[in-house]
Amino acid sequence: MRQLQQRWPIAVLLFFGHLPFLMLLWVALAALLTVITAVLALFVDISVSVWDHSAALLRWMALFYGTYLTRELLTTCVMHGRTRRAFTAQATLFVLVASGVLAVLMALGYALEHLIYNLMGWSHTFIDDRLFDSLNIPLIIYSWWGLYAVWTITGAFIGAALRRNDVSPVLAIVLGIVLLSVLGPITGMGDLPFTDRIYDPQTTSVGSAIGLSLLAFAVGAAFTWLLVRNIPIRPRIR
Amino acid sequence: MTSRIDLEELRLRYEDTTAVDRVTCHLEGGKIYGLLGRNGSGKTSLLSMLAGFIRPTSGSVLVDGQPVFENPRAVSRICLIRDSGDVGDQSDTVRTVMEIAQVLRSTWDQEYAERLLEKFKIPMRKRVSQLSRGQRSALGITIGLASRTPLTIFDESHLGMDAPSRALFQEELLNDFMANPRTIIVSTHLIEEMSTLFEEVLILHEGRLLLHEDTDTLRSRGAAVTGPADQVDQFVFGMNVLAERRLGRIKSVTVYGELSDLHRRQAENLGLEMEPIALQDLFIHLTGAVEESR
Amino acid sequence: MFDDRSPIYRQIAEQIKTDILNGVLRADEQVMSTNQYAAFYRINPATAAKAFQQLVEEKILYKRRGIGMFVSPTARDMLLAQRRERFFTDVVDPMVAEAKVIGIPLADIITRIEQAARSDEEKAKSGHADEDER
């Protein structure tokens, strides 16, 4: 542990400080959605997955967390004698791994929901176009993994632009939207309202979807590094 | 462990202004240095480059012979605490801020940090946003001291602290410096109050290094010469005159430079009064005079 | 404590000399260490060290390796001799010059000094008398 902390202090901070918090958020969300579903069931016939539909909310949280990384945590790391390079490397690794962990938890949510729906005799269908149309766990994990990773790294990119005063935040946000709207929907996840029907996930092969979301993540990470590598660390409050 | 600092032709330009203008200086380290300068003189910019917070436009920053910017070995040995007490997320508690410091700083001394927080009366449970300005400053000072970095820099870190807290800061700074020698730089406006701490003083003015001098030498440098205008003019001829004031036929002139016993006797013979001036006044004259001559 | 108008190390040295003259510090008594002194008066330890170094060079203090610094047995006598010497240049000469400017005859000054000395003696005597009564 001590050695790990000396080699990868930022990763240690993220994995031991942030990941449990993000997982707690998942627990809170699961509890909330269960209550919502139960209340809804009193009044209407449940026919679609509530869990799946909550994606709309979660991707924005991922984006917000991404901006937090470069707006706040980067400053703290540099302040405590760490380089921007070390931050970017370890934070990128964290985003990839943590997205995976949360995706697994999401899949667990689908499975639990599927079980409950079966018991209640409700049909477990998804409103939005997904790569998966039934309880296909590997595809669910992959889809959510891609969503969390790409949206968080895009958030990090926008956050870095906001933190600099020589880069237009509007331009960065537009670039971020382009990144999300061109590459996000291919996975069937995180489509923005106006890009809803550009791609039909049903016709996209799983292989190319995985390839494209990896590419999206790589582009997001590269953009972020471009802004972070010489970012001036100015006081946050005056 | 202490750090040696070498700045060579250091410059920082923003779009249309030069914040730091070709500063060259060498600090051998293991001392407490005072960095003085008026608002906007470039102190924070200079210190930010020294700590690797900002990349210089040109010139070099070497700490222990190593370039600083994005150099993991170099920056891990430097800690810069800025005036706003800019030490962590506003929403984090003091305890969390300490935990983060402990993870990120390999030289961190947690026990010392807790002792300091107790002395400054900062509760661990409070959020940074709930702290007063003075408490935030004290939190910054705690982090700077407990980091135990070979180069520790306080940039107006005592702003907003009341007199007893500032006295505590001075005391702790000195005690820790004596127990664990390191290189310390303190930038301040409170010259009279802080100058006894400094072994050497650097004065920055309009982005340039005006002087770098042993503090006690500087204290012996300035003098105010008062007497009949003609005699005063005769006496100060060829000297570095910082300021002049006239009241009828009496003239008072502030001079800067080495004043020997010969000077003193000469002044006496001319019937002039020669008085030493305080460091604070010397600073005012030095940084005011340059502006007038532009 | 110290002012910013002259080198602090000189002010420290002066203060220690005054302490020796007043008998606050006695012969062969240990003085505060550089660090204690620095911490007590909140001054840079290097500045304090410079003051002590100067006093060692002037033979006012002497060092005992590993223990600390002590007041020389001859320090007080040396300082008294120096101050007596300086008394005339620092106190008497300026007074005479000032008297000349404002036109006070030398004789008046002497009378005044004698008066002051006599009243001082009487005060001292009556002081003793008070103590005797108790």
Side-chain angles (χ1 to χ4, degrees):
Chain A
M1 178 66 201
R2 211 192 166 81
Q3 240 177 346
L4 198 70
Q5 187 177 319
Q6 256 162 27
R7 256 192 100 84
W8 304 95
I10 301 165
V12 164
L13 190 69
L14 289 165
F15 279 111
F16 291 89
H18 289 197
L19 191 54
F21 176 71
L22 295 171
M23 287 163 81
L24 268 180
L25 268 183
W26 177 87
V27 173
L29 181 80
L32 183 71
L33 290 181
T34 309
V35 171
I36 289 175
T37 313
V39 172
L40 275 177
L42 295 176
F43 304 102
V44 292
D45 287 338
I46 304 264
S47 58
V48 294
S49 164
V50 175
W51 188 250
D52 184 62
H53 206 59
S54 65
L57 180 72
L58 289 174
R59 59 190 183 185
W60 294 110
M61 280 174 59
L63 192 77
F64 179 78
Y65 178 73
T67 62
Y68 160 81
L69 285 178
T70 41
R71 291 192 75 182
E72 299 286 341
L73 196 68
L74 171 63
T75 302
T76 305
C77 288
V78 173
M79 238 214 63
H80 286 304
R82 299 291 159 182
T83 59
R84 295 153 183 81
R85 183 181 295 272
F87 170 83
T88 310
Q90 293 172 48
T92 307
L93 177 81
F94 172 74
V95 170
L96 266 183
V97 176
S99 301
V101 172
L102 290 174
V104 169
L105 289 177
M106 290 309 295
L108 194 66
Y110 279 94
L112 285 172
E113 196 185 49
H114 192 79
L115 204 71
I116 295 168
Y117 277 42
N118 266 357
L119 279 173
M120 303 299 290
W122 301 331
S123 79
H124 195 215
T125 54
F126 310 124
I127 310 175
D128 302 295
D129 290 330
R130 304 285 190 226
L131 276 177
F132 48 90
D133 52 6
S134 66
L135 196 63
N136 184 339
I137 297 288
L139 265 190
I140 290 175
I141 291 179
Y142 152 69
S143 298
W144 279 92
W145 195 336
L147 173 106
Y148 279 139
V150 172
W151 278 69
T152 309
I153 205 77
T154 305
F157 163 67
I158 293 170
L162 293 175
R163 196 77 174 83
R164 294 181 70 119
N165 57 5
D166 56 349
V167 176
S168 156
V170 178
L171 190 72
I173 290 167
V174 168
L175 258 168
I177 291 173
V178 167
L179 188 70
L180 294 178
S181 55
V182 171
L183 294 152
I186 294 169
T187 65
M189 302 289 285
D191 41 349
L192 298 163
F194 49 88
T195 59
D196 237 5
R197 302 282 164 198
I198 298 178
Y199 302 98
D200 181 4
Q202 304 303 330
T203 62
T204 315
S205 81
V206 173
S208 63
I210 292 178
L212 280 166
S213 44
L214 274 175
L215 182 67
F217 184 80
V219 168
F223 275 0
T224 307
W225 173 237
L226 215 61
L227 292 188
V228 163
R229 54 190 275 272
N230 59 6
I231 193 169
I233 304 297
R234 299 208 172 79
R236 277 176 284 206
I237 36 171
R238 300 234 161 232
Chain B
M1 275 202 292
T2 68
S3 283
R4 181 189 164 78
I5 298 166
D6 298 278
L7 307 180
E8 207 74 56
E9 290 286 305
L10 192 61
R11 285 180 82 206
L12 182 67
R13 277 192 63 84
Y14 295 116
E15 280 128 56
D16 50 354
T17 52
T18 304
V20 175
D21 196 5
R22 279 174 290 153
V23 168
T24 296
C25 81
H26 307 279
L27 309 180
E28 62 176 294
K31 297 179 181 177
I32 304 177
Y33 298 89
L35 178 64
L36 312 180
R38 291 163 56 170
N39 288 335
S41 59
K43 286 176 297 186
T44 299
S45 296
L46 182 80
L47 297 176
S48 294
M49 288 190 283
L50 181 53
F53 283 22
I54 297 179
R55 190 167 64 172
T57 308
S58 63
S60 73
V61 180
L62 299 182
V63 173
D64 292 323
Q66 297 256 337
V68 164
F69 193 78
E70 283 294 273
N71 178 346
R73 250 190 66 78
V75 292
S76 70
R77 295 161 56 84
I78 304 172
C79 181
L80 163 61
I81 302 294
R82 287 183 295 206
D83 67 335
S84 45
D86 182 27
V87 286
D89 289 332
Q90 294 294 295
S91 56
D92 278 345
T93 60
V94 173
R95 187 184 305 282
T96 308
V97 170
M98 293 291 124
E99 280 165 1
I100 291 171
Q102 196 171 10
V103 173
L104 293 177
R105 279 276 177 211
S106 48
T107 46
W108 183 256
D109 186 336
Q110 178 68 16
E111 206 189 310
Y112 181 43
E114 283 173 18
R115 222 165 48 231
L116 284 172
L117 286 180
E118 215 165 285
K119 282 190 182 176
F120 282 118
K121 297 195 175 62
I122 298 173
M124 287 278 229
R125 293 167 284 104
K126 274 208 174 172
R127 291 182 191 286
V128 175
S129 57
Q130 293 172 306
L131 300 177
S132 69
R133 179 99 202 248
Q135 282 179 316
R136 270 210 301 270
S137 293
L139 178 60
I141 280 159
T142 298
I143 289 175
L145 288 173
S147 285
R148 288 267 160 76
T149 39
L151 171 56
T152 308
I153 308 166
F154 296 100
D155 182 15
E156 295 279 356
S157 307
H158 48 274
L159 235 59
M161 285 166 77
D162 56 13
S165 306
R166 290 201 302 269
L168 185 60
F169 166 46
Q170 296 186 358
E171 217 172 282
E172 288 299 331
L173 182 76
L174 276 176
N175 283 332
D176 199 55
F177 170 73
M178 291 187 284
N180 306 284
R182 43 180 160 167
T183 303
I184 293 176
I185 301 177
V186 179
S187 93
T188 183
H189 279 119
L190 303 172
I191 299 172
E192 216 178 306
E193 186 177 303
M194 303 289 283
S195 73
T196 55
L197 300 182
F198 307 146
E199 188 172 344
E200 290 177 20
V201 164
L202 296 100
I203 297 181
L204 210 58
H205 187 64
E206 292 173 347
R208 290 173 191 238
L209 186 66
L210 206 62
L211 65 84
H212 171 202
E213 190 66 80
D214 177 84
T215 317
D216 258 355
T217 307
L218 203 56
R219 284 192 188 96
S220 66
R221 280 276 165 90
V225 183
T226 311
D230 291 348
Q231 269 91 321
V232 170
D233 284 339
Q234 189 190 335
F235 178 75
V236 302
F237 183 76
M239 284 179 155
N240 188 357
V241 174
L242 296 180
E244 287 188 6
R245 270 193 311 167
R246 270 196 91 127
L247 190 71
R249 282 175 46 228
I250 298 296
K251 194 170 181 182
S252 178
V253 169
T254 308
V255 290
Y256 174 72
E258 204 130 0
L259 294 165
S260 61
D261 282 345
L262 191 73
H263 281 111
R264 285 174 214 286
R265 244 170 295 149
Q266 198 191 345
E268 211 172 303
N269 290 339
L270 286 167
L272 301 177
E273 211 169 305
M274 199 156 125
E275 279 188 332
I277 61 168
L279 205 57
Q280 167 104 21
D281 295 325
L282 190 62
F283 169 76
I284 290 169
H285 289 312
L286 279 170
T287 55
V290 175
E291 203 164 51
E292 279 160 25
S293 71
R294 277 200 317 180
Chain C
M1 183 64 224
F2 299 107
D3 69 52
D4 249 349
R5 291 164 183 274
S6 65
I8 302 265
Y9 83 91
R10 253 189 249 157
Q11 297 180 51
I12 297 169
E14 276 312 307
Q15 192 197 37
I16 291 172
K17 284 179 184 172
T18 307
D19 281 350
I20 293 171
L21 279 170
N22 292 342
V24 175
L25 284 170
R26 285 154 208 252
D28 294 313
E29 191 177 330
Q30 185 166 10
V31 296
M32 270 198 262
S33 75
T34 306
N35 281 4
Q36 282 171 329
Y37 206 90
F40 191 80
Y41 291 108
R42 281 193 228 115
I43 54 170
N44 192 293
T47 311
K50 199 173 169 189
F52 285 94
Q53 192 50 44
Q54 189 199 311
L55 291 172
V56 169
E57 274 165 26
E58 289 180 26
K59 299 205 164 62
I60 305 287
L61 300 180
Y62 65 92
K63 261 187 209 166
R64 267 203 232 155
R65 205 171 286 275
I67 303 175
M69 290 202 232
F70 297 82
V71 178
S72 303
T74 54
R76 190 153 189 274
D77 291 340
M78 272 164 54
L79 289 169
L80 280 174
Q82 278 172 18
R83 292 267 164 122
R84 279 185 195 125
E85 227 169 84
R86 264 174 37 196
F87 178 77
F88 289 97
T89 52
D90 287 6
V91 180
V92 179
D93 294 353
M95 181 178 73
V96 173
E98 173 77 5
K100 203 170 155 192
V101 170
I102 58 181
I104 298 178
L106 220 52
D108 286 8
I109 301 175
I110 293 164
T111 318
R112 175 62 180 246
I113 290 171
E114 280 169 354
Q115 264 173 12
R118 221 175 293 131
S119 75
D120 256 6
E121 263 169 41
E122 273 161 23
K123 250 186 223 158
K125 261 185 210 157
S126 69
H128 283 302
D130 285 349
E131 273 168 31
D132 288 346
E133 271 168 35
R134 270 184 226 155

